[in-house]
Amino acid sequence: MISDKIQEAFNNQIVAELYSSYLYLSMSAYFESINLKGFAHWMRCQVQEELVHAMKFYMFVNERGGTVKLSAIDGPSTSWASPLAAFQDAYAHERKVTGLINSLVDLAIPEKDHASNAFLQWFVTEQVEEESSADEVIKKIQLAGEQGGGMFMLDRELAARVFTPPPETATL
Ligand code: FEO
């Protein structure tokens, strides 16, 4: 059984993951608007990743005998000054999410909730990758010089991203 405190915190995290998904969908729309289709596609893969994150929390709360209670999702920004600014925003957002995950671990440990702690370790590892993938694109944009042929090549590279749903959420 999950405690009320952990249940509430995990419910908040479901909303935070859904917000992440919403933010990246908004970024995808921004990239569509400036005709960077590969960037837009990369962001839509990220949308799917965030939905998986939300669903992992959703399924875990239910499995532990808790109740999922959803609340309002804030509206994301709708435009950015440049592709670089959008990815810098994505990177800053991922760092914030890492902080949220670490806070959940800090909540589970004093409660001696080993199951929640074990569950959260997947997210601890995942956040390393989440931060790194946004940072990698930032560096590539800087190398490409934000315009011209370099950005065209990078757009093609980002178009090749493939989202593979993990088995436990593939049939949702
Ligand atoms: Fe759900 Fe991008 O972390």
Side-chain angles (χ1 to χ4, degrees):
M1 189 71 189
I2 202 169
S3 75
D4 286 350
K5 206 166 156 186
I6 297 280
Q7 175 179 292
E8 188 185 349
F10 279 23
N11 274 323
N12 289 339
Q13 191 62 30
I14 294 172
V15 176
E17 300 292 348
L18 291 174
Y19 172 77
S20 300
S21 179
Y22 210 25
L23 173 65
Y24 296 138
L25 188 59
S26 188
M27 287 182 179
S28 179
Y30 160 69
F31 285 122
E32 289 282 355
S33 79
I34 57 172
N35 212 30
L36 285 172
K37 304 278 185 195
F39 279 73
H41 167 80
W42 192 98
M43 278 297 170
R44 284 197 299 279
C45 289
Q46 197 59 31
V47 167
Q48 298 298 314
E49 292 245 343
E50 299 302 348
L51 291 176
V52 165
H53 295 172
M55 288 311 297
K56 275 181 173 278
F57 277 99
Y58 176 100
M59 290 160 75
F60 185 79
V61 169
N62 283 326
E63 271 169 16
R64 298 287 307 283
T67 303
V68 169
K69 291 176 186 167
L70 299 175
S71 53
I73 304 167
D74 289 339
S77 298
T78 54
S79 68
W80 286 266
S82 65
L84 180 62
F87 266 91
Q88 283 171 332
D89 205 2
Y91 179 57
H93 180 69
E94 287 304 331
R95 291 182 64 177
K96 197 172 138 197
V97 173
T98 299
L100 293 177
I101 297 294
N102 288 341
S103 298
L104 293 177
V105 175
D106 290 344
L107 211 59
I109 289 172
E111 284 209 19
K112 297 186 169 38
D113 185 344
H114 301 297
S116 290
N117 187 24
F119 167 77
L120 287 167
Q121 292 311 307
W122 183 89
F123 284 91
V124 170
T125 306
E126 174 74 357
Q127 280 311 120
V128 174
E129 195 187 311
E130 289 284 85
E131 286 189 28
S132 163
S133 60
D135 191 37
E136 195 183 303
V137 179
I138 288 173
K139 291 190 171 84
K140 285 181 178 176
I141 295 171
Q142 286 167 334
L143 266 175
E146 278 213 79
Q147 54 191 337
M151 281 299 275
F152 176 73
M153 294 296 287
L154 183 53
D155 192 54
R156 285 180 61 172
E157 183 186 323
L158 297 188
R161 182 176 178 184
V162 176
F163 167 71
T164 310
E168 69 272 24
T169 55
T171 53
L172 290 172

PDB file of all heavy atoms in Angstrom, residues 82-115:
ATOM      1  N   SER A  82      14.632  31.227 -31.007  1.00  0.00           N
ATOM      2  CA  SER A  82      15.437  30.496 -31.995  1.00  0.00           C
ATOM      3  C   SER A  82      15.398  29.007 -31.647  1.00  0.00           C
ATOM      4  O   SER A  82      15.019  28.651 -30.518  1.00  0.00           O
ATOM      5  CB  SER A  82      16.894  30.984 -31.935  1.00  0.00           C
ATOM      6  OG  SER A  82      17.447  30.653 -30.670  1.00  0.00           O
ATOM      7  N   PRO A  83      15.814  28.128 -32.570  1.00  0.00           N
ATOM      8  CA  PRO A  83      15.912  26.696 -32.234  1.00  0.00           C
ATOM      9  C   PRO A  83      16.815  26.471 -31.021  1.00  0.00           C
ATOM     10  O   PRO A  83      16.502  25.655 -30.153  1.00  0.00           O
ATOM     11  CB  PRO A  83      16.521  26.084 -33.503  1.00  0.00           C
ATOM     12  CG  PRO A  83      16.081  26.984 -34.603  1.00  0.00           C
ATOM     13  CD  PRO A  83      16.100  28.368 -34.015  1.00  0.00           C
ATOM     14  N   LEU A  84      17.909  27.222 -30.950  1.00  0.00           N
ATOM     15  CA  LEU A  84      18.819  27.082 -29.810  1.00  0.00           C
ATOM     16  C   LEU A  84      18.098  27.429 -28.505  1.00  0.00           C
ATOM     17  O   LEU A  84      18.209  26.696 -27.512  1.00  0.00           O
ATOM     18  CB  LEU A  84      20.044  27.992 -30.000  1.00  0.00           C
ATOM     19  CG  LEU A  84      21.076  27.954 -28.872  1.00  0.00           C
ATOM     20  CD1 LEU A  84      21.689  26.566 -28.716  1.00  0.00           C
ATOM     21  CD2 LEU A  84      22.180  28.999 -29.106  1.00  0.00           C
ATOM     22  N   ALA A  85      17.329  28.517 -28.523  1.00  0.00           N
ATOM     23  CA  ALA A  85      16.593  28.932 -27.318  1.00  0.00           C
ATOM     24  C   ALA A  85      15.597  27.851 -26.892  1.00  0.00           C
ATOM     25  O   ALA A  85      15.435  27.581 -25.692  1.00  0.00           O
ATOM     26  CB  ALA A  85      15.876  30.258 -27.571  1.00  0.00           C
ATOM     27  N   ALA A  86      14.952  27.214 -27.862  1.00  0.00           N
ATOM     28  CA  ALA A  86      13.983  26.163 -27.537  1.00  0.00           C
ATOM     29  C   ALA A  86      14.691  24.981 -26.855  1.00  0.00           C
ATOM     30  O   ALA A  86      14.226  24.466 -25.831  1.00  0.00           O
ATOM     31  CB  ALA A  86      13.256  25.693 -28.801  1.00  0.00           C
ATOM     32  N   PHE A  87      15.827  24.563 -27.406  1.00  0.00           N
ATOM     33  CA  PHE A  87      16.539  23.424 -26.811  1.00  0.00           C
ATOM     34  C   PHE A  87      17.181  23.785 -25.472  1.00  0.00           C
ATOM     35  O   PHE A  87      17.287  22.929 -24.584  1.00  0.00           O
ATOM     36  CB  PHE A  87      17.546  22.822 -27.799  1.00  0.00           C
ATOM     37  CG  PHE A  87      16.935  21.666 -28.558  1.00  0.00           C
ATOM     38  CD1 PHE A  87      16.287  21.888 -29.765  1.00  0.00           C
ATOM     39  CD2 PHE A  87      16.961  20.384 -28.037  1.00  0.00           C
ATOM     40  CE1 PHE A  87      15.684  20.836 -30.442  1.00  0.00           C
ATOM     41  CE2 PHE A  87      16.357  19.325 -28.705  1.00  0.00           C
ATOM     42  CZ  PHE A  87      15.716  19.547 -29.916  1.00  0.00           C
ATOM     43  N   GLN A  88      17.587  25.045 -25.334  1.00  0.00           N
ATOM     44  CA  GLN A  88      18.110  25.467 -24.022  1.00  0.00           C
ATOM     45  C   GLN A  88      16.986  25.395 -22.982  1.00  0.00           C
ATOM     46  O   GLN A  88      17.211  25.016 -21.834  1.00  0.00           O
ATOM     47  CB  GLN A  88      18.695  26.878 -24.108  1.00  0.00           C
ATOM     48  CG  GLN A  88      20.065  26.883 -24.777  1.00  0.00           C
ATOM     49  CD  GLN A  88      20.590  28.272 -25.085  1.00  0.00           C
ATOM     50  OE1 GLN A  88      19.813  29.209 -25.303  1.00  0.00           O
ATOM     51  NE2 GLN A  88      21.905  28.425 -25.142  1.00  0.00           N
ATOM     52  N   ASP A  89      15.783  25.756 -23.421  1.00  0.00           N
ATOM     53  CA  ASP A  89      14.607  25.683 -22.548  1.00  0.00           C
ATOM     54  C   ASP A  89      14.313  24.214 -22.186  1.00  0.00           C
ATOM     55  O   ASP A  89      14.003  23.891 -21.034  1.00  0.00           O
ATOM     56  CB  ASP A  89      13.412  26.318 -23.280  1.00  0.00           C
ATOM     57  CG  ASP A  89      12.371  26.836 -22.315  1.00  0.00           C
ATOM     58  OD1 ASP A  89      12.590  26.734 -21.096  1.00  0.00           O
ATOM     59  OD2 ASP A  89      11.318  27.336 -22.783  1.00  0.00           O
ATOM     60  N   ALA A  90      14.423  23.339 -23.189  1.00  0.00           N
ATOM     61  CA  ALA A  90      14.175  21.902 -22.955  1.00  0.00           C
ATOM     62  C   ALA A  90      15.204  21.350 -21.958  1.00  0.00           C
ATOM     63  O   ALA A  90      14.852  20.588 -21.041  1.00  0.00           O
ATOM     64  CB  ALA A  90      14.255  21.130 -24.273  1.00  0.00           C
ATOM     65  N   TYR A  91      16.444  21.749 -22.120  1.00  0.00           N
ATOM     66  CA  TYR A  91      17.509  21.287 -21.212  1.00  0.00           C
ATOM     67  C   TYR A  91      17.260  21.774 -19.784  1.00  0.00           C
ATOM     68  O   TYR A  91      17.355  21.003 -18.820  1.00  0.00           O
ATOM     69  CB  TYR A  91      18.865  21.773 -21.739  1.00  0.00           C
ATOM     70  CG  TYR A  91      20.051  21.386 -20.887  1.00  0.00           C
ATOM     71  CD1 TYR A  91      20.316  20.049 -20.598  1.00  0.00           C
ATOM     72  CD2 TYR A  91      20.917  22.352 -20.389  1.00  0.00           C
ATOM     73  CE1 TYR A  91      21.419  19.688 -19.817  1.00  0.00           C
ATOM     74  CE2 TYR A  91      22.018  21.999 -19.615  1.00  0.00           C
ATOM     75  CZ  TYR A  91      22.258  20.669 -19.326  1.00  0.00           C
ATOM     76  OH  TYR A  91      23.340  20.315 -18.556  1.00  0.00           O
ATOM     77  N   ALA A  92      16.907  23.066 -19.666  1.00  0.00           N
ATOM     78  CA  ALA A  92      16.612  23.627 -18.334  1.00  0.00           C
ATOM     79  C   ALA A  92      15.421  22.892 -17.718  1.00  0.00           C
ATOM     80  O   ALA A  92      15.401  22.605 -16.509  1.00  0.00           O
ATOM     81  CB  ALA A  92      16.313  25.124 -18.457  1.00  0.00           C
ATOM     82  N   HIS A  93      14.434  22.563 -18.559  1.00  0.00           N
ATOM     83  CA  HIS A  93      13.258  21.852 -18.056  1.00  0.00           C
ATOM     84  C   HIS A  93      13.649  20.468 -17.539  1.00  0.00           C
ATOM     85  O   HIS A  93      13.191  20.039 -16.474  1.00  0.00           O
ATOM     86  CB  HIS A  93      12.195  21.751 -19.149  1.00  0.00           C
ATOM     87  CG  HIS A  93      10.972  21.039 -18.689  1.00  0.00           C
ATOM     88  ND1 HIS A  93      10.110  21.578 -17.751  1.00  0.00           N
ATOM     89  CD2 HIS A  93      10.488  19.803 -18.966  1.00  0.00           C
ATOM     90  CE1 HIS A  93       9.151  20.715 -17.493  1.00  0.00           C
ATOM     91  NE2 HIS A  93       9.359  19.623 -18.217  1.00  0.00           N
ATOM     92  N   GLU A  94      14.502  19.766 -18.292  1.00  0.00           N
ATOM     93  CA  GLU A  94      14.917  18.425 -17.856  1.00  0.00           C
ATOM     94  C   GLU A  94      15.691  18.477 -16.535  1.00  0.00           C
ATOM     95  O   GLU A  94      15.561  17.589 -15.697  1.00  0.00           O
ATOM     96  CB  GLU A  94      15.741  17.730 -18.937  1.00  0.00           C
ATOM     97  CG  GLU A  94      14.912  17.260 -20.121  1.00  0.00           C
ATOM     98  CD  GLU A  94      13.768  16.325 -19.730  1.00  0.00           C
ATOM     99  OE1 GLU A  94      13.877  15.604 -18.721  1.00  0.00           O
ATOM    100  OE2 GLU A  94      12.742  16.344 -20.426  1.00  0.00           O
ATOM    101  N   ARG A  95      16.492  19.515 -16.374  1.00  0.00           N
ATOM    102  CA  ARG A  95      17.222  19.656 -15.105  1.00  0.00           C
ATOM    103  C   ARG A  95      16.245  19.849 -13.950  1.00  0.00           C
ATOM    104  O   ARG A  95      16.440  19.336 -12.844  1.00  0.00           O
ATOM    105  CB  ARG A  95      18.212  20.812 -15.197  1.00  0.00           C
ATOM    106  CG  ARG A  95      19.355  20.495 -16.158  1.00  0.00           C
ATOM    107  CD  ARG A  95      20.369  21.587 -16.222  1.00  0.00           C
ATOM    108  NE  ARG A  95      21.037  21.767 -14.945  1.00  0.00           N
ATOM    109  CZ  ARG A  95      22.024  22.620 -14.733  1.00  0.00           C
ATOM    110  NH1 ARG A  95      22.456  23.373 -15.727  1.00  0.00           N
ATOM    111  NH2 ARG A  95      22.580  22.743 -13.561  1.00  0.00           N
ATOM    112  N   LYS A  96      15.172  20.586 -14.238  1.00  0.00           N
ATOM    113  CA  LYS A  96      14.137  20.802 -13.221  1.00  0.00           C
ATOM    114  C   LYS A  96      13.445  19.464 -12.874  1.00  0.00           C
ATOM    115  O   LYS A  96      13.211  19.156 -11.703  1.00  0.00           O
ATOM    116  CB  LYS A  96      13.115  21.825 -13.763  1.00  0.00           C
ATOM    117  CG  LYS A  96      12.230  22.439 -12.713  1.00  0.00           C
ATOM    118  CD  LYS A  96      11.408  23.551 -13.317  1.00  0.00           C
ATOM    119  CE  LYS A  96       9.995  23.471 -12.777  1.00  0.00           C
ATOM    120  NZ  LYS A  96       9.037  24.214 -13.564  1.00  0.00           N
ATOM    121  N   VAL A  97      13.158  18.684 -13.906  1.00  0.00           N
ATOM    122  CA  VAL A  97      12.506  17.387 -13.685  1.00  0.00           C
ATOM    123  C   VAL A  97      13.425  16.459 -12.881  1.00  0.00           C
ATOM    124  O   VAL A  97      12.965  15.728 -11.999  1.00  0.00           O
ATOM    125  CB  VAL A  97      12.091  16.725 -15.030  1.00  0.00           C
ATOM    126  CG1 VAL A  97      11.569  15.311 -14.801  1.00  0.00           C
ATOM    127  CG2 VAL A  97      11.025  17.569 -15.720  1.00  0.00           C
ATOM    128  N   THR A  98      14.721  16.508 -13.166  1.00  0.00           N
ATOM    129  CA  THR A  98      15.678  15.707 -12.374  1.00  0.00           C
ATOM    130  C   THR A  98      15.551  16.075 -10.897  1.00  0.00           C
ATOM    131  O   THR A  98      15.535  15.188 -10.028  1.00  0.00           O
ATOM    132  CB  THR A  98      17.128  15.966 -12.866  1.00  0.00           C
ATOM    133  OG1 THR A  98      17.209  15.575 -14.231  1.00  0.00           O
ATOM    134  CG2 THR A  98      18.139  15.185 -12.050  1.00  0.00           C
ATOM    135  N   GLY A  99      15.412  17.357 -10.621  1.00  0.00           N
ATOM    136  CA  GLY A  99      15.228  17.817  -9.245  1.00  0.00           C
ATOM    137  C   GLY A  99      13.950  17.250  -8.637  1.00  0.00           C
ATOM    138  O   GLY A  99      13.938  16.843  -7.466  1.00  0.00           O
ATOM    139  N   LEU A 100      12.889  17.192  -9.442  1.00  0.00           N
ATOM    140  CA  LEU A 100      11.613  16.645  -8.948  1.00  0.00           C
ATOM    141  C   LEU A 100      11.758  15.162  -8.611  1.00  0.00           C
ATOM    142  O   LEU A 100      11.270  14.694  -7.576  1.00  0.00           O
ATOM    143  CB  LEU A 100      10.505  16.824 -10.002  1.00  0.00           C
ATOM    144  CG  LEU A 100      10.054  18.244 -10.329  1.00  0.00           C
ATOM    145  CD1 LEU A 100       9.009  18.230 -11.440  1.00  0.00           C
ATOM    146  CD2 LEU A 100       9.479  18.935  -9.086  1.00  0.00           C
ATOM    147  N   ILE A 101      12.443  14.427  -9.491  1.00  0.00           N
ATOM    148  CA  ILE A 101      12.639  12.983  -9.251  1.00  0.00           C
ATOM    149  C   ILE A 101      13.483  12.777  -7.988  1.00  0.00           C
ATOM    150  O   ILE A 101      13.147  11.937  -7.136  1.00  0.00           O
ATOM    151  CB  ILE A 101      13.326  12.310 -10.474  1.00  0.00           C
ATOM    152  CG1 ILE A 101      12.439  12.397 -11.733  1.00  0.00           C
ATOM    153  CG2 ILE A 101      13.715  10.862 -10.158  1.00  0.00           C
ATOM    154  CD1 ILE A 101      11.140  11.635 -11.689  1.00  0.00           C
ATOM    155  N   ASN A 102      14.535  13.555  -7.857  1.00  0.00           N
ATOM    156  CA  ASN A 102      15.386  13.431  -6.654  1.00  0.00           C
ATOM    157  C   ASN A 102      14.583  13.731  -5.387  1.00  0.00           C
ATOM    158  O   ASN A 102      14.763  13.080  -4.355  1.00  0.00           O
ATOM    159  CB  ASN A 102      16.592  14.370  -6.759  1.00  0.00           C
ATOM    160  CG  ASN A 102      17.597  13.885  -7.791  1.00  0.00           C
ATOM    161  OD1 ASN A 102      17.589  12.721  -8.166  1.00  0.00           O
ATOM    162  ND2 ASN A 102      18.453  14.779  -8.257  1.00  0.00           N
ATOM    163  N   SER A 103      13.678  14.708  -5.474  1.00  0.00           N
ATOM    164  CA  SER A 103      12.838  15.031  -4.302  1.00  0.00           C
ATOM    165  C   SER A 103      11.913  13.865  -3.950  1.00  0.00           C
ATOM    166  O   SER A 103      11.626  13.622  -2.772  1.00  0.00           O
ATOM    167  CB  SER A 103      11.978  16.270  -4.572  1.00  0.00           C
ATOM    168  OG  SER A 103      12.803  17.365  -4.811  1.00  0.00           O
ATOM    169  N   LEU A 104      11.450  13.146  -4.979  1.00  0.00           N
ATOM    170  CA  LEU A 104      10.590  11.982  -4.711  1.00  0.00           C
ATOM    171  C   LEU A 104      11.390  10.885  -4.000  1.00  0.00           C
ATOM    172  O   LEU A 104      10.878  10.234  -3.087  1.00  0.00           O
ATOM    173  CB  LEU A 104       9.985  11.443  -6.020  1.00  0.00           C
ATOM    174  CG  LEU A 104       8.990  12.363  -6.733  1.00  0.00           C
ATOM    175  CD1 LEU A 104       8.521  11.737  -8.041  1.00  0.00           C
ATOM    176  CD2 LEU A 104       7.779  12.677  -5.850  1.00  0.00           C
ATOM    177  N   VAL A 105      12.628  10.689  -4.432  1.00  0.00           N
ATOM    178  CA  VAL A 105      13.493   9.711  -3.756  1.00  0.00           C
ATOM    179  C   VAL A 105      13.689  10.136  -2.299  1.00  0.00           C
ATOM    180  O   VAL A 105      13.588   9.317  -1.375  1.00  0.00           O
ATOM    181  CB  VAL A 105      14.865   9.579  -4.473  1.00  0.00           C
ATOM    182  CG1 VAL A 105      15.805   8.663  -3.693  1.00  0.00           C
ATOM    183  CG2 VAL A 105      14.686   9.054  -5.897  1.00  0.00           C
ATOM    184  N   ASP A 106      13.910  11.424  -2.094  1.00  0.00           N
ATOM    185  CA  ASP A 106      14.105  11.951  -0.729  1.00  0.00           C
ATOM    186  C   ASP A 106      12.868  11.737   0.147  1.00  0.00           C
ATOM    187  O   ASP A 106      12.967  11.704   1.373  1.00  0.00           O
ATOM    188  CB  ASP A 106      14.427  13.456  -0.778  1.00  0.00           C
ATOM    189  CG  ASP A 106      15.814  13.716  -1.352  1.00  0.00           C
ATOM    190  OD1 ASP A 106      16.622  12.780  -1.416  1.00  0.00           O
ATOM    191  OD2 ASP A 106      16.070  14.870  -1.753  1.00  0.00           O
ATOM    192  N   LEU A 107      11.720  11.622  -0.501  1.00  0.00           N
ATOM    193  CA  LEU A 107      10.468  11.384   0.226  1.00  0.00           C
ATOM    194  C   LEU A 107      10.308   9.890   0.552  1.00  0.00           C
ATOM    195  O   LEU A 107       9.863   9.523   1.644  1.00  0.00           O
ATOM    196  CB  LEU A 107       9.307  11.834  -0.680  1.00  0.00           C
ATOM    197  CG  LEU A 107       8.043  12.385  -0.072  1.00  0.00           C
ATOM    198  CD1 LEU A 107       8.333  13.605   0.783  1.00  0.00           C
ATOM    199  CD2 LEU A 107       7.068  12.761  -1.206  1.00  0.00           C
ATOM    200  N   ALA A 108      10.691   9.053  -0.413  1.00  0.00           N
ATOM    201  CA  ALA A 108      10.498   7.596  -0.255  1.00  0.00           C
ATOM    202  C   ALA A 108      11.455   6.998   0.789  1.00  0.00           C
ATOM    203  O   ALA A 108      11.065   6.103   1.537  1.00  0.00           O
ATOM    204  CB  ALA A 108      10.672   6.890  -1.601  1.00  0.00           C
ATOM    205  N   ILE A 109      12.682   7.493   0.827  1.00  0.00           N
ATOM    206  CA  ILE A 109      13.693   6.892   1.718  1.00  0.00           C
ATOM    207  C   ILE A 109      13.319   7.000   3.202  1.00  0.00           C
ATOM    208  O   ILE A 109      13.265   5.973   3.888  1.00  0.00           O
ATOM    209  CB  ILE A 109      15.105   7.455   1.424  1.00  0.00           C
ATOM    210  CG1 ILE A 109      15.587   6.900   0.065  1.00  0.00           C
ATOM    211  CG2 ILE A 109      16.099   7.096   2.523  1.00  0.00           C
ATOM    212  CD1 ILE A 109      16.875   7.516  -0.446  1.00  0.00           C
ATOM    213  N   PRO A 110      13.002   8.204   3.726  1.00  0.00           N
ATOM    214  CA  PRO A 110      12.642   8.260   5.163  1.00  0.00           C
ATOM    215  C   PRO A 110      11.371   7.486   5.488  1.00  0.00           C
ATOM    216  O   PRO A 110      11.187   7.051   6.624  1.00  0.00           O
ATOM    217  CB  PRO A 110      12.471   9.760   5.447  1.00  0.00           C
ATOM    218  CG  PRO A 110      12.381  10.426   4.132  1.00  0.00           C
ATOM    219  CD  PRO A 110      13.054   9.542   3.138  1.00  0.00           C
ATOM    220  N   GLU A 111      10.500   7.297   4.488  1.00  0.00           N
ATOM    221  CA  GLU A 111       9.286   6.492   4.722  1.00  0.00           C
ATOM    222  C   GLU A 111       9.577   5.004   4.679  1.00  0.00           C
ATOM    223  O   GLU A 111       8.678   4.184   4.855  1.00  0.00           O
ATOM    224  CB  GLU A 111       8.221   6.827   3.661  1.00  0.00           C
ATOM    225  CG  GLU A 111       7.531   8.144   3.889  1.00  0.00           C
ATOM    226  CD  GLU A 111       6.116   8.157   3.337  1.00  0.00           C
ATOM    227  OE1 GLU A 111       5.526   7.084   3.107  1.00  0.00           O
ATOM    228  OE2 GLU A 111       5.609   9.270   3.142  1.00  0.00           O
ATOM    229  N   LYS A 112      10.818   4.652   4.341  1.00  0.00           N
ATOM    230  CA  LYS A 112      11.214   3.250   4.151  1.00  0.00           C
ATOM    231  C   LYS A 112      10.326   2.565   3.104  1.00  0.00           C
ATOM    232  O   LYS A 112       9.994   1.377   3.218  1.00  0.00           O
ATOM    233  CB  LYS A 112      11.185   2.485   5.475  1.00  0.00           C
ATOM    234  CG  LYS A 112      12.191   3.013   6.507  1.00  0.00           C
ATOM    235  CD  LYS A 112      12.220   2.131   7.727  1.00  0.00           C
ATOM    236  CE  LYS A 112      13.352   2.394   8.698  1.00  0.00           C
ATOM    237  NZ  LYS A 112      13.749   3.753   8.928  1.00  0.00           N
ATOM    238  N   ASP A 113       9.932   3.339   2.105  1.00  0.00           N
ATOM    239  CA  ASP A 113       9.115   2.796   1.005  1.00  0.00           C
ATOM    240  C   ASP A 113      10.082   2.286  -0.061  1.00  0.00           C
ATOM    241  O   ASP A 113      10.398   2.962  -1.031  1.00  0.00           O
ATOM    242  CB  ASP A 113       8.193   3.892   0.454  1.00  0.00           C
ATOM    243  CG  ASP A 113       7.234   3.360  -0.602  1.00  0.00           C
ATOM    244  OD1 ASP A 113       7.485   2.255  -1.116  1.00  0.00           O
ATOM    245  OD2 ASP A 113       6.258   4.060  -0.917  1.00  0.00           O
ATOM    246  N   HIS A 114      10.561   1.049   0.142  1.00  0.00           N
ATOM    247  CA  HIS A 114      11.589   0.489  -0.742  1.00  0.00           C
ATOM    248  C   HIS A 114      11.066   0.262  -2.156  1.00  0.00           C
ATOM    249  O   HIS A 114      11.816   0.408  -3.126  1.00  0.00           O
ATOM    250  CB  HIS A 114      12.131  -0.817  -0.153  1.00  0.00           C
ATOM    251  CG  HIS A 114      12.734  -0.623   1.210  1.00  0.00           C
ATOM    252  ND1 HIS A 114      13.833   0.174   1.419  1.00  0.00           N
ATOM    253  CD2 HIS A 114      12.365  -1.087   2.432  1.00  0.00           C
ATOM    254  CE1 HIS A 114      14.131   0.177   2.702  1.00  0.00           C
ATOM    255  NE2 HIS A 114      13.256  -0.570   3.342  1.00  0.00           N
ATOM    256  N   ALA A 115       9.803  -0.104  -2.280  1.00  0.00           N
ATOM    257  CA  ALA A 115       9.232  -0.347  -3.616  1.00  0.00           C
ATOM    258  C   ALA A 115       9.225   0.946  -4.426  1.00  0.00           C
ATOM    259  O   ALA A 115       9.593   0.953  -5.609  1.00  0.00           O
ATOM    260  CB  ALA A 115       7.816  -0.909  -3.480  1.00  0.00           C
TER     261      ALA A 115
END
